[in-house]
Amino acid sequence: MSLWLGAYASIVNAPFAVSMVSFEVAILGYNLSVFVGLPMLALTLLDLSFSWRWQKATWGRIFLALAAMFEVMRRADVGNNYAKFIFIACIITLLFVLFKIVKHALKNNQSLKKSTALLGVCLMLMAASLWSFNTAFALVWHGLGLLVLGGYLYLSA
């Protein structure tokens, strides 16, 4: 769901979609993606990698805490600094978790072929967004990359 929120935010903020989606809906998608989706993704991977098995009530409290922190930071006019903090904390967490997962897979002699193929497709879509000449296509390619990854993870679970 977190990856799909990111894909939604990328696609609705593309210049060609501006006429189809109202400004408020696009901003809502972006805020959900950055301030809730990305931290929930990092926490989900952290939960899975350490086998903590948090209950549904815990996830609900985490969601409410993230929404409350967004509102507090918005009212304090430090939203940009909070967004930078979220990005840095989540990137560090995701790198740690991915390192732990790959290390565990290599230690147990598990095959990484399927994961490598999936990451290759996602990285190709995101690389296409980097070399796109047009911002609209960059956002669409990035959104498609996130949709592919999210769809694969959902169906493989």
Side-chain angles (χ1 to χ4, degrees):
M1 188 64 171
S2 297
L3 293 173
W4 291 342
L5 280 172
Y8 170 79
S10 293
I11 292 171
V12 298
N13 283 305
F16 71 86
V18 170
S19 62
M20 296 182 283
V21 178
S22 71
F23 177 74
E24 292 81 14
V25 172
I27 292 297
L28 177 66
Y30 173 78
N31 287 339
L32 272 173
S33 166
V34 170
F35 297 106
V36 175
L38 187 59
M40 290 292 272
L41 175 68
L43 289 171
T44 301
L45 289 175
L46 198 62
D47 178 47
L48 291 173
S49 69
F50 285 105
S51 299
W52 287 335
R53 296 190 178 115
W54 287 339
Q55 298 175 354
K56 289 181 184 179
T58 305
W59 288 109
R61 289 182 188 112
I62 290 170
F63 177 81
L64 288 175
L66 289 169
M69 282 301 295
F70 166 73
E71 185 60 23
V72 167
M73 295 301 164
R74 186 185 68 79
R75 288 185 185 213
D77 288 331
V78 292
N80 289 335
N81 293 335
Y82 181 58
K84 289 177 189 174
F85 170 75
I86 290 282
F87 283 130
I88 291 169
C90 288
I91 287 171
I92 291 170
T93 303
L94 290 172
L95 287 174
F96 172 73
V97 168
L98 290 175
F99 174 74
K100 185 176 178 353
I101 290 171
V102 169
K103 183 180 171 185
H104 178 71
L106 291 175
K107 187 173 136 181
N108 294 337
N109 294 326
Q110 293 176 348
S111 175
L112 295 175
K113 289 180 184 177
K114 192 185 264 188
S115 302
T116 306
L118 170 71
L119 287 175
V121 169
C122 292
L123 288 175
M124 283 184 350
L125 287 171
M126 289 180 187
S129 74
L130 290 176
W131 285 298
S132 180
F133 296 111
N134 173 319
T135 305
F137 288 127
L139 290 171
V140 168
W141 282 117
H142 184 70
L144 288 175
L146 292 173
L147 281 174
V148 167
L149 184 59
Y152 171 78
L153 292 175
Y154 178 75
L155 293 175
S156 68

